[in-house]
Amino acid sequence: MAEPTVRLPGIVLASLMFQHVNSDSDVEGLILGESRFDEQVTISDSQADHIHIEETYNVQKHIACHRLNTLYSSDGQVNAEELHKLLAENKQESVIGWYRQRRNSEQQMTFREKLVHENLKSALSNPHMIFVLLTPTKTTPPGSTHRMEYSAFISRSRHFMNLPVLITNLGLLEQLSYWKVSAPCSAAGYSLTMKKHGSKFFCSNGLLKEVNEVNKMNDSLQAELQKTCRDVEESERLVEVLQTEVSALRTRLRERQQSESGKESAADPGEPRKNLLLQEAVRALLASSPLFHTQKLTLQGFPVPDHTDNISKTTASEAPPSTTHCRKRLREMLPEKERKRRRSKS
């Protein structure tokens, strides 16, 4: 929550100074105006929403007491009858505080002023009352130059704190401050005029009709945004369900593939075992045949045994038919022309 501020128009401050200068004693009275509590919400993506509350007290006019110390007694008790007479036609809800002007004194509240302030809060049922203190002093001995100091105080749990006072002159207002400053207490003619022509521009709730239409559009946009957010949330949940199902199917497929590969490995005997007996029998048969050990062939493609002693000995008894028989068979099979050619060559 921000520090409370008091907005005092320059016209009201000039009226207070003029009244004090033209009086022979101290002056006190009531302050009328409006207290506002504006809530500003700052929305950002990087951090949570920041709520800022501005407490502003707009002073609109003042009512001076006819005589000093008539509003309260010497012990600080508020005189209710004098208070109602002082308000007259003004509403009690428009009272936001009281003020006092003291000559040649410091900018501090006295003990009596603190008691009167707490009693006024109870009498007017307003816990947010302010106290404005004005202390003029002479800066030159002849009295040609005066200095007016002003300050505002507010009570929080019986602890008085000093508030900043902003003089809202037209030339010093920032660009967006005109709508923050409340209008002064309106006269009867102003009220009648506003009642007569206000229905053309304002709604029953006090807002401009354009503002009301903008609020309706904003509400419809918020409703559509919430609907879209719900749809997106439902789609995201469906995507999560589908992803879960896909992952489950993948695990099942992986387990099935592993089980099938295990079955295939169990059914496959692996490399065939070598039949040693068969190999020994083949070696024994082939070793006795010299034609299987040779690397020479005839022109007709028949194997020719190597002329070694070992092979000749082993193959003497079990020699295959001689090559002469093979040649005779080939000669018989050859045509007659080839026979004549060979005879001529021989």
Side-chain angles (χ1 to χ4, degrees):
M1 186 173 180
E3 184 181 9
T5 56
V6 178
R7 290 180 177 268
L8 182 63
I11 299 174
V12 177
L13 180 60
S15 176
L16 288 171
M17 295 171 63
F18 181 79
Q19 181 187 15
H20 184 68
V21 170
N22 289 286
S23 62
D24 297 331
S25 62
D26 297 341
V27 182
E28 60 187 6
L30 299 176
I31 296 175
L32 305 181
E34 180 186 10
S35 58
R36 298 183 54 170
F37 295 88
D38 298 329
E39 180 179 348
Q40 295 181 354
V41 181
T42 304
I43 301 174
S44 62
D45 297 334
S46 59
Q47 59 184 0
D49 297 347
H50 178 68
I51 300 176
H52 180 74
I53 299 176
E54 292 184 355
E55 184 178 355
T56 307
Y57 297 91
N58 295 308
V59 179
Q60 296 174 352
K61 70 176 184 178
H62 64 93
I63 302 175
C65 297
H66 300 289
R67 289 182 300 172
L68 194 62
N69 298 328
T70 57
L71 186 60
Y72 52 88
S73 60
S74 57
D75 57 352
Q77 297 297 326
V78 178
N79 189 351
E81 295 181 0
E82 188 66 24
L83 180 62
H84 290 298
K85 289 180 181 180
L86 189 62
L87 287 174
E89 296 180 356
N90 297 292
K91 295 181 180 180
Q92 181 177 339
E93 291 79 8
S94 61
V95 180
I96 62 172
W98 67 295
Y99 73 96
R100 184 177 174 85
Q101 297 175 349
R102 291 191 269 108
R103 286 185 172 88
N104 301 322
S105 61
E106 297 179 356
Q107 285 283 314
Q108 293 181 358
M109 293 183 66
T110 61
F111 182 71
R112 179 187 290 181
E113 290 170 351
K114 292 181 180 180
L115 288 177
V116 171
H117 187 81
E118 295 296 333
N119 293 330
L120 273 175
K121 287 169 59 176
S122 301
L124 296 174
S125 301
N126 186 2
H128 303 286
M129 289 189 64
I130 61 174
F131 173 71
V132 179
L133 178 63
L134 298 97
T135 55
T137 55
K138 296 180 181 181
T139 57
T140 55
S144 59
T145 305
H146 294 261
R147 182 179 62 187
M148 174 71 75
E149 294 180 354
Y150 51 87
S151 59
F153 300 89
I154 192 171
S155 173
R156 295 290 169 81
S157 300
R158 294 190 176 273
H159 175 71
F160 287 86
M161 56 183 297
N162 196 351
L163 302 180
V165 180
L166 178 63
I167 306 301
T168 56
N169 290 328
L170 186 61
L172 299 178
L173 285 178
E174 56 269 20
Q175 186 177 3
L176 300 176
S177 293
Y178 294 104
W179 64 274
K180 292 183 179 179
V181 180
S182 60
C185 296
S186 57
Y190 177 80
S191 300
L192 292 175
T193 305
M194 291 300 297
K195 287 180 180 179
K196 181 179 180 180
H197 301 282
S199 59
K200 300 179 182 178
F201 307 99
F202 297 95
C203 298
S204 59
N205 54 2
L207 296 176
L208 288 171
K209 289 185 177 181
E210 290 79 4
V211 175
N212 198 8
E213 296 296 329
V214 170
N215 290 334
K216 290 180 180 178
M217 183 182 67
N218 186 28
D219 294 339
S220 61
L221 287 175
Q222 290 294 330
E224 291 295 331
L225 182 60
Q226 291 177 0
K227 181 180 178 182
T228 305
C229 290
R230 287 193 296 268
D231 295 340
V232 171
E233 184 179 359
E234 291 177 358
S235 63
E236 290 293 333
R237 290 179 179 177
L238 289 175
V239 169
E240 291 179 359
V241 172
L242 291 176
Q243 289 180 351
T244 306
E245 293 179 356
V246 168
S247 61
L249 291 174
R250 285 180 178 176
T251 53
R252 289 174 59 186
L253 180 61
R254 194 180 301 111
E255 292 175 357
R256 182 177 294 178
Q257 290 177 352
Q258 291 177 357
S259 62
E260 289 179 356
S261 62
K263 290 180 181 179
E264 290 178 358
S265 60
D268 190 8
E271 295 181 358
R273 297 180 180 178
K274 295 180 180 180
N275 195 341
L276 300 178
L277 297 176
L278 181 60
Q279 289 181 359
E280 291 177 358
V282 171
R283 286 177 183 176
L285 293 173
L286 296 179
S288 61
S289 179
L291 297 177
F292 289 101
H293 295 276
T294 183
Q295 296 181 356
K296 298 179 181 180
L297 297 175
T298 61
L299 294 174
Q300 288 77 22
F302 291 97
V304 178
D306 292 335
H307 297 282
T308 57
D309 297 336
N310 294 331
I311 297 175
S312 62
K313 290 179 181 179
T314 56
T315 59
S317 59
E318 298 179 0
S322 62
T323 57
T324 57
H325 296 286
C326 296
R327 289 178 180 175
K328 289 181 179 180
R329 291 177 182 175
L330 289 172
R331 286 176 183 175
E332 293 176 355
M333 294 174 64
L334 288 172
E336 295 180 358
K337 293 181 179 181
E338 291 182 0
R339 290 178 187 176
K340 290 179 182 180
R341 289 177 184 174
R342 288 189 178 182
R343 288 175 183 175
S344 63
K345 287 180 181 179
S346 58

